[in-house]
Every structure is written in C-alpha cells, then in structure tokens.
Amino acid sequence: MKIDVLVEVNVGTQDQTFTYLVPSELESKIEIGKRVKVPFGNRKLEGFIVAINNQPQDYQLKEIISVIDEQKVLTPEMFALGKYMSSITLAPLIHCYQTMLPTALKANRNINIKIKTKTYLSLNKSKEDVLSYVESTKSKIQKDILNLFLDKDLIAKSDIIKKASLKILIDKDFLKEVYQEEYRLPEAFKNSNQVNLTIDQLKVIEDFQIGIKDIYLLYGVTGSGKTEVYMNIIDRCLEEKKQAIVLVPEIALTMQLVNRFQNHFGNKVAILHSRLSDGEKYDEWRRIERGEAEIVIGPRSAVFAPLKDIGVIIIDEEHENSYKQENSPRYHAHDIAFYLGKKHHAKVLLGSATPSLESYTKAKVGIYGFLELKTRVNNHQLPQVKIVDMKESMRQGYRILSKELITAIKDKLNKKEQIMILLNRRGYSNYLNCQSCGHTFKCPACDITMTYHKTSDMMRCHYCGYATKKIDVCPECKTKSLRSIGFGTEKLEEELKKLFEDAKIIRMDLDTTTQKGSHSKIINAFSNREYDILLGTQMIAKGLDFDNVSLVGVINADNSLDIPDFRSGEKTFQLLSQVAGRSGRTSLQGEVILQVFNPDHYVIETVKEHDYEAFYRQEIIMRKKLNYPPFCFIASIKIISKEYEKGFKLSKEISDFLKKELPNNTVLGPTMANIFKINNYYRYNCLIKYKNKEEVLETLKKVQNHYQTNQNFKIEFDFNPIHF
Ligand code: ADP
Ligand code: ZN
C-alpha cells in the first residue's frame, strides 16, 4: 500500500505531496485525514494522509514510521474548505489545514494531550431482573447500591464506598463500568434572567427569520440590545436541532458577552479562547465534535469548529480588523463564514454599531439584508460628546489633560461615578530625541523609533520586541540633551495619579495584561467599583458594559487620522464611537470628552453627533474619488528581501509584469511598505486595484510559480490587506 502525504516543508513546488510505503502491519490503520510520522531527509516529520496512491512507482520509496491518530483529524468537509481557502488566499494548502485545527491536532507540533477518563457505573440488566434480585438478596449493602440506580442512569464509581459489594454486583453482571472523557474546564450553569424583548428587537428577529437573503447586516447603535437578539436567534436555531457559531473580535475583551451566553445557554456553549491551554482547547473541540456543545463562541478561528449542522453564524463587531488573519493563510473570517453558510444553508448575521464601509454599502444596495436598531434599549440617551481643541488647551498650559477633562473627572469622582480614559499608545513616551543634534533611537532591526517604558527603564521596539536600557548621553553628539517626545499610557497614569491623589486608578494595556486571566481581573475589579478610573489603549474601547461609567475621555483622539491608510478615517470613527458607547449605558447620563487637534475634521464632527450615516456619506465620496473599496478590491504583493537593492529590482520586475498582464486594472508601486524595515528585512509593496478576482488570481499564480522564494527573499500575497 502507498499513500500521499502532505508535510510542512519549504521544498518543491507549493502543495507537493510525497509518496510513502505503508508496512503491512500498519495498513489497517490507514485512513485519509489521519496524521502519520514519516522520514524526510534526515528528519522525522508529521503530515496528513491526503490520498491512497495506486500509481506504479519505479523508484525506491521510504516507509512511514507510524500512524498517529485513532480517528481522522481532517474530514472530507475540512479538505474541501482548506482547498477553498487556499484558492482565495494563494496560501499553501498545508497552512490552511494547520490553521483549521486546534494545536493538539496540528501536524508536527508534538503535543501530547492527556485524555483523562472517569469511570462510571450503569445497570447491565433489565429493571425487572434487578428488582427481583433486590427482593431476594440478603445483603443490605447490595440492595442499597442497586436502589441508587433505579432513578439514576450513571453514577461515578468513586462515589460508591463499599467496594467489596460493588465488585460482587459487577461480577454478577448487574452493573457494568462505563468510561467517559473528563474535561479540564469546569461546567457552566444556566443562570438566566429572561428579558422581554422590545418591539424593535422582535421586528429584527422576525425579519431575519423570514428573510430570503443569505447574509444580513444588523446595524444597531451601542447598547441597542444586539446581544439579546443574537441569543434569541440561537434559541430558535437550537429548537430546530441545529448549531450556531458566534464570532467575537477577541475573547479576553468580550468576557462579559461570553458570560451572558453561558448564563443563557449553560453547558451548551463551547468557548474557543486563545488563552486556553492546548488540553482545554482540545477538550472543547471534542465536546463540539461529539455534539455536547451546540454553540461555539470564539475569535476568527472558531469559524472552523467541527459542527455538523450549522443553523446560523453570527459575527459580532463585524468591522473589526481581528477577523483578518495577518499571516499565511491571510483569510478573512467573513469569507469562511459565507462559504459555510452556503454549505449548511445557514444564514450569516453581521452585527455592528459602526459597520465597515464595505458591509454597509452591500446592505444598502440589497446584496445583504439590512436590519436596524436605532435606539438604545429603554430609550437611554446616547452620551453627550464634547470636543476640546488641544491647540487652545496647550496655549493655556494643559498639555496632557485639558482643563475641561480635569473638571469633568473631579465632578464624577465626587459623585462616585466611574471614568474611563483612552489613549491608544502604550509606554511612557513615544520616543527619545536629542535636543542638540536631533538624534532619535531607532530599532537596529526595524525602521521605527523605539518607545520608552519607564517602569522597566527600557526602550522597546513594538514590532520585533527588541529592548535596550535607556541611556542619558546621546551616542551621536555626547551631550546630555535627550528629551522624551509624546506620551503613552504609562505617563498618562502617572499624570492622573498626580492630579487625583485619592482616586483609585488602574491601567489596562498590553504591558499590564501579559498573564492569563489578567484582562478579566482588571475588568471585574473595575466592574465591582474597586477602582474609580480605568485607563488604557484600544483594549478598553470595545464591548464592555459597565453600569456606573458616566465619563469617557479620549486623549489624542484624532492621532490615528494621520496614519497613511485609506481606512484611517473609518478606523478612527469606529474606535471613537465604540469607546463613546461605554459611557452612560444605564440610567446615568453619559458624557464623552474628545481631546483633538483637528476639531473640524468630518470624522470628529460626525462622532460628536453619533451620526454614522453622515460619516458614511462623506467617506464614501472620498472612496469613490480615489477609487478605493468598496468601489474596487485591493490585493497587496509584498516583496520581502534581506538585500535592499535586490528587493527593489525584483519588486520592479514584478510590478512591470503585473502592469503588462493586467491592463484593465490599476497596478501601483513598487513603493516602500509603511514600515520599510522589520526584523532586518526590507519590505516593498505593489498594489492592485481590481474588480475581477479570477483574472488577478491567475496572474498572481504565475508570479508565485515563477520565483523561488528562500530565507532571503519572500513574496506575500494579501487580499483586502489591513496594513500596507
Ligand atoms: P449591544 O449588544 O447592542 O451593545 P446589549 O445587548 O448589550 O446591547 O444591551 C444593552 C443593555 O440593555 C444590556 O445591559 C442588556 O442586558 C439590556 N437589554 C437588552 N435588551 C433588553 C430588553 N429587551 N429589556 C431589558 N433590557 C435589555
Ligand atoms: Zn525592531
């Protein structure tokens, strides 16, 4: 017997498989989709069996070493999905399969998951037989034991103390042992307080149920009750004996939503959390496979959960960047959801208070169904947004916190209400700069200035993690004139502590949340009112629901408008609207203060009015003028090279080829990528603006097949890229 195996190596052409012989004693274990261990050069690798090979072979084949799995890990459906993913991303098939599986089931991870089983007992004879034995036996203990089973099917063996009598009952075949896999995570229990849905919520659900579109956009302002709508739709889906997937941007930041789902659905929910251990993730995967969990909640990779009959796929905060994977395969969870929706005849529901321009446009023109929740539940008012012009504030000497924000914080502290402050920049200062010669400290491996972190007294590169001790003397001109420019959350925290000595302040950013569970700890503590002020980066902006927060302040709120990216306006609008939505979610009247340098920018003006429509109308005009999505699609081709000159030469060659092959599309570049050097690799970028993907895929495949990539030179294809 011969089999074709797909392994993860950088030799040969893309997706090449290798043929191996199967020793006769292993033949009975062979099944397509299982993993095998094979010799490869002088290494041993794991790979997936993708075919049984019946072709005659005239060269010497090597034998496989072992078959890893008892059950196949890749099903025919997963093979098909992997191929689809590879075809739309141009990523190697092996990357696609690996991405779809939990770590414990990936090839070549060499992870041994201990499967814990627990022994239970159940009756092994009919109730009549058991009853008549209970009547006749003289043993009181045996009677007692058997009586336990008359109203309970399964009892843990460890719960029965009288082992001797138990053994007799097992030997006499009255009881048998049953083994069940034990899961590492504790069971969740229902704890539901039913709400009565509002008329608006019921209408949305009704329209979704009876509608005939495949995909729906639920556009609902923050606090409009979208989560309740999701849960109700899933209730109906379970009634039809179907399952549901709920995608969220990042679990750690959406624990409140997860808890609501657990309270409502109890143990039917499986959570695929990136911070679970490999064993815990494996357990959740198995619970889903066995049909014990019917609702899967997780980040983008949860879309691959092994559900048999999907009834609905919900993507909450559909506009979030985290639905796009940044490394190969560069897939977007939307595309996988749409594919699965079609396969399972399941509808896809996208929800957001600030939809992506692409989704909103599709909903407006009728490609997606359009559902809307215009007001907050119980008609709570959206918070009042005040804009503070920092040019003016700086003149008055208020450089970090404006007078307006300081006054508002004092007022809320007095009222014992809580405050959130967003500054989307971590660290102490943005960078250090020599006042006498202008020297700045750049990462030696990346083309980017290093950020000063005061707690550790280090300068760090936020791209590659390189860190070096801060020095006082400029290495260039040897004077002591280094000044820190700009500021991050670390300095903001220091400033707040200085100004509000009695307030309890907690910071949440990448630096304070490195440990498992640290997000939840901070969120719970703030929710329990152990702190007055929560400050942080964009981590605090999304999804959180605190009932006592009545003030949200945003520092440098318009900073992100300066990023050279056609989506910077959209991303800024989304972030500011989301964080504003954290204020005044219950009976308290919410207030928001945005500190900006461009108070007249349309993004700032429309955030102030909570007017997504007005923002959309302005933004879409720009997109049309400059021909950007949704008026076209974008593909980026990144040429990544160790050598500066060679990288440029190859980029030029590729760009010329694309221009020749794709005369009906716009090909831009090569340009230097926004961050030109990362980790000692130079990065050039070509862009294609296109309408017809087939044609572009064809051409890019030619590029892919033409160049031999290696350690010093790589090409990355990215459709609908987020970073340029
Ligand atoms: P969104 O997901 O749109 O931000 P949520 O579903 O979190 O909104 O709802 C906001 C708040 O209103 C939550 O505290 C939620 O429990 C409450 N809520 C939602 N629907 C109802 C309802 N029909 N009746 C009472 N309270 C509701
Ligand atoms: Zn670096």
Side-chain angles (χ1 to χ4, degrees):
M1 183 188 221
K2 299 190 298 287
I3 53 171
D4 292 340
V5 179
L6 187 64
V7 290
E8 197 168 21
V9 284
N10 283 328
V11 296
T13 51
Q14 182 146 329
D15 304 340
Q16 185 183 356
T17 57
F18 298 89
T19 308
Y20 288 89
L21 280 176
V22 180
S24 54
E25 71 271 16
L26 292 179
E27 277 188 7
S28 63
K29 287 190 167 178
I30 294 296
E31 199 181 348
I32 292 177
K34 283 186 181 177
R35 290 171 298 174
V36 284
K37 189 168 262 177
V38 296
F40 197 91
N42 48 17
R43 290 186 291 167
K44 287 173 190 165
L45 293 180
E46 292 180 9
F48 298 101
I49 307 175
V50 295
I52 311 291
N53 186 322
N54 297 317
Q55 305 294 317
Q57 221 60 254
D58 52 7
Y59 50 90
Q60 195 72 37
L61 292 176
K62 287 186 183 164
E63 284 190 344
I64 65 165
I65 300 165
S66 60
V67 179
I68 297 166
D69 302 302
E70 293 296 325
Q71 269 178 42
K72 58 177 174 251
V73 298
L74 286 172
T75 60
E77 294 79 38
M78 290 162 95
F79 275 117
L81 175 54
K83 281 179 190 149
Y84 172 74
M85 217 194 321
S86 169
S87 76
I88 59 167
T89 59
L90 294 182
L93 259 181
I94 184 77
H95 288 181
C96 298
Y97 296 148
Q98 296 275 50
T99 294
M100 293 159 64
L101 292 167
T103 314
L105 298 178
K106 289 186 207 291
N108 254 349
R109 294 300 185 272
N110 290 321
I111 289 172
N112 261 326
I113 299 294
K114 282 210 189 72
I115 296 172
K116 290 196 282 183
T117 49
K118 191 167 175 180
T119 312
Y120 291 84
L121 297 161
S122 78
L123 287 185
N124 201 25
K125 289 194 182 185
S126 72
K127 284 211 168 153
E128 290 76 50
D129 291 351
V130 172
L131 278 173
S132 74
Y133 181 77
V134 167
E135 301 276 295
S136 62
T137 180
K138 296 206 177 66
S139 157
K140 166 129 188 353
I141 300 173
Q142 288 185 30
K143 259 185 214 180
D144 287 348
I145 293 176
L146 284 177
N147 276 329
L148 292 174
F149 287 86
L150 292 176
D151 47 24
K152 228 177 167 184
D153 292 339
L154 279 183
I155 294 174
K157 191 174 178 185
S158 54
D159 289 351
I160 296 175
I161 304 155
K162 308 281 186 189
K163 297 291 181 220
S165 307
L166 182 61
K167 183 159 184 313
I168 297 170
L169 288 170
I170 293 173
D171 289 344
K172 286 190 174 170
D173 271 344
F174 282 104
L175 291 175
K176 67 168 180 225
E177 293 188 338
V178 182
Y179 308 99
Q180 277 198 359
E181 212 171 301
E182 269 213 312
Y183 300 126
R184 273 150 271 238
L185 288 169
E187 258 186 66
F189 294 102
K190 279 193 198 184
N191 175 22
S192 182
N193 36 354
Q194 281 291 328
V195 299
N196 291 320
L197 295 175
T198 62
I199 293 171
D200 291 344
Q201 285 170 322
L202 286 170
K203 168 128 183 28
V204 160
I205 293 163
E206 171 85 3
D207 288 350
F208 179 76
Q209 296 295 126
I210 61 171
I212 53 159
K213 303 273 190 208
D214 301 326
I215 304 166
Y216 286 79
L217 174 68
L218 169 54
Y219 163 55
V221 297
T222 54
S224 59
K226 294 187 288 298
T227 311
E228 293 297 332
V229 168
Y230 301 155
M231 293 197 287
N232 191 280
I233 285 173
I234 294 172
D235 275 331
R236 293 162 191 239
C237 168
L238 297 186
E239 275 166 27
E240 292 177 22
K241 300 270 174 270
K242 294 184 173 203
Q243 302 111 38
I245 297 178
V246 182
L247 300 185
V248 294
E250 200 192 320
I251 287 270
L253 305 180
T254 33
M255 274 322 276
Q256 288 184 324
L257 179 139
V258 171
N259 291 340
R260 277 166 76 184
F261 270 78
Q262 284 184 321
N263 286 341
H264 190 94
F265 296 106
N267 211 32
K268 285 186 189 161
V269 181
I271 297 162
L272 297 175
H273 190 319
S274 56
R275 290 200 180 189
L276 294 182
S277 71
D278 291 334
E280 288 166 341
K281 257 188 250 173
Y282 172 79
D283 287 351
E284 289 294 76
W285 184 265
R286 300 283 284 153
R287 282 209 311 129
I288 300 163
E289 252 183 353
R290 295 201 172 105
E292 293 164 17
E294 297 165 281
I295 303 150
V296 178
I297 306 184
R300 63 168 182 268
S301 58
V303 78
F304 301 117
L307 292 169
K308 303 225 161 47
D309 191 5
I310 302 171
V312 66
I313 304 176
I314 294 169
I315 305 184
D316 191 29
E317 310 289 357
E318 67 89 26
H319 60 277
E320 284 286 333
N321 282 349
S322 64
Y323 289 122
K324 175 74 190 297
Q325 177 152 305
E326 296 258 29
N327 48 3
S328 176
R330 293 180 186 81
Y331 71 96
H332 200 297
H334 283 200
D335 294 321
I336 308 301
F338 299 159
Y339 169 94
L340 289 173
K342 262 211 186 101
K343 281 262 145 150
H344 290 252
H345 306 289
K347 287 179 185 166
V348 178
L349 179 60
L350 310 172
S352 177
T354 52
S356 68
L357 273 254
E358 284 95 329
S359 297
Y360 195 74
T361 305
K362 282 182 183 154
K364 277 285 162 186
V365 301
I367 298 172
Y368 300 167
F370 187 59
L371 308 167
E372 199 173 3
L373 288 171
K374 289 186 180 161
T375 54
R376 283 188 160 182
V377 176
N378 298 331
N379 275 323
H380 288 144
Q381 293 304 301
L382 283 162
Q384 244 186 25
V385 181
K386 278 191 208 137
I387 310 292
V388 174
D389 185 347
M390 282 311 280
K391 296 194 295 288
E392 187 55 37
S393 184
M394 304 264 267
R395 271 194 287 275
Q396 300 166 4
Y398 295 89
R399 309 185 68 83
I400 296 183
L401 295 164
S402 62
K403 207 156 108 190
E404 290 84 342
L405 186 51
I406 294 172
T407 312
I409 293 174
K410 271 189 193 143
D411 175 50
K412 302 299 175 188
L413 288 174
N414 283 337
K415 292 187 190 150
K416 301 269 176 256
E417 293 170 8
Q418 286 168 293
I419 299 141
M420 290 168 73
I421 311 234
L422 173 84
L423 169 57
N424 204 8
R425 174 100 207 179
R426 69 193 169 99
Y428 189 78
S429 70
N430 288 3
Y431 58 93
L432 291 178
N433 175 249
C434 174
Q435 296 293 293
S436 97
C437 76
H439 178 79
T440 56
F441 292 84
K442 282 197 168 183
C443 170
C446 308
D447 176 35
I448 195 161
T449 51
M450 291 195 288
T451 303
Y452 175 51
H453 289 248
K454 194 172 182 182
T455 315
S456 51
D457 201 35
M458 300 284 259
M459 294 186 290
R460 288 180 197 284
C461 169
H462 285 183
Y463 274 80
C464 71
Y466 173 85
T468 175
K469 206 98 199 124
K470 187 203 155 204
I471 46 176
D472 297 321
V473 180
C474 174
E476 209 64 48
C477 69
K478 317 287 182 217
T479 61
K480 275 195 169 189
S481 5
L482 296 177
R483 269 257 305 264
S484 59
I485 308 291
F487 56 94
T489 43
E490 217 181 341
K491 178 147 179 187
L492 175 63
E493 183 181 17
E494 195 179 278
E495 184 78 9
L496 284 166
K497 283 182 169 159
K498 243 187 268 164
L499 281 168
F500 307 103
E501 281 179 347
D502 298 329
K504 288 195 256 11
I505 298 171
I506 188 161
R507 168 160 66 97
M508 180 154 131
D509 56 27
L510 214 57
D511 300 315
T512 63
T513 53
T514 46
Q515 276 165 359
K516 187 172 170 171
S518 43
H519 291 96
S520 299
K521 238 186 234 158
I522 296 175
I523 290 168
N524 290 339
F526 189 64
S527 188
N528 295 335
R529 308 191 186 181
E530 290 163 36
Y531 293 93
D532 306 304
I533 303 177
L534 170 65
L535 80 134
T537 53
Q538 40 85 28
M539 268 185 196
I540 66 167
K542 300 159 196 173
L544 299 172
D545 191 15
F546 301 115
D547 55 11
N548 191 41
V549 170
S550 59
L551 172 64
V552 166
V554 186
I555 317 294
N556 288 343
D558 54 350
N559 241 6
S560 49
L561 288 174
D562 298 333
I563 297 171
D565 173 351
F566 75 92
R567 284 199 185 89
S568 65
E570 179 181 351
K571 289 294 152 199
T572 306
F573 182 89
Q574 286 163 345
L575 181 67
L576 295 180
S577 304
Q578 291 291 338
V579 71
R582 303 309 113 209
S583 182
R585 289 173 73 84
T586 48
S587 47
L588 300 176
Q589 171 58 48
E591 192 180 341
V592 178
I593 295 181
L594 305 181
Q595 297 190 170
V596 300
F597 289 92
N598 311 285
D600 305 328
H601 195 287
Y602 69 92
V603 166
I604 302 302
E605 282 179 337
T606 51
V607 168
K608 179 176 182 338
E609 302 302 326
H610 303 287
D611 197 345
Y612 176 84
E613 299 262 352
F615 159 74
Y616 177 85
R617 281 195 300 272
Q618 298 234 31
E619 183 72 17
I620 204 81
I621 293 170
M622 302 277 283
R623 299 280 179 100
K624 178 145 196 155
K625 248 189 211 153
L626 301 172
N627 189 29
Y628 273 115
F631 297 97
C632 67
F633 301 103
I634 290 187
S636 121
I637 299 96
K638 274 213 182 76
I639 295 93
I640 299 172
S641 169
K642 264 239 154 102
E643 295 162 66
Y644 180 95
E645 285 291 339
K646 191 165 173 212
F648 181 75
K649 199 178 132 266
L650 288 170
S651 310
K652 184 80 177 60
E653 199 175 287
I654 289 171
S655 140
D656 288 344
F657 176 76
L658 294 174
K659 281 172 189 160
K660 184 167 75 48
E661 294 277 312
L662 297 167
N664 303 322
N665 302 270
T666 312
V667 177
L668 302 171
T671 57
M672 298 197 251
N674 273 357
I675 294 170
F676 181 45
K677 193 172 103 184
I678 297 182
N679 256 331
N680 287 318
Y681 283 88
Y682 296 95
R683 303 152 58 83
Y684 297 89
N685 207 1
C686 297
L687 290 184
I688 309 174
K689 290 179 171 177
Y690 64 92
K691 291 217 158 71
N692 175 357
K693 186 161 179 177
E694 292 308 314
E695 184 188 16
V696 172
L697 279 172
E698 281 300 303
T699 309
L700 291 182
K701 266 187 219 154
K702 287 186 199 161
V703 173
Q704 192 172 45
N705 293 333
H706 183 76
Y707 292 95
Q708 277 288 338
T709 59
N710 56 40
Q711 284 301 319
N712 298 324
F713 164 69
K714 288 188 205 92
I715 304 178
E716 286 178 4
F717 302 100
D718 193 348
F719 295 89
N720 210 4
I722 287 170
H723 297 294
F724 292 91

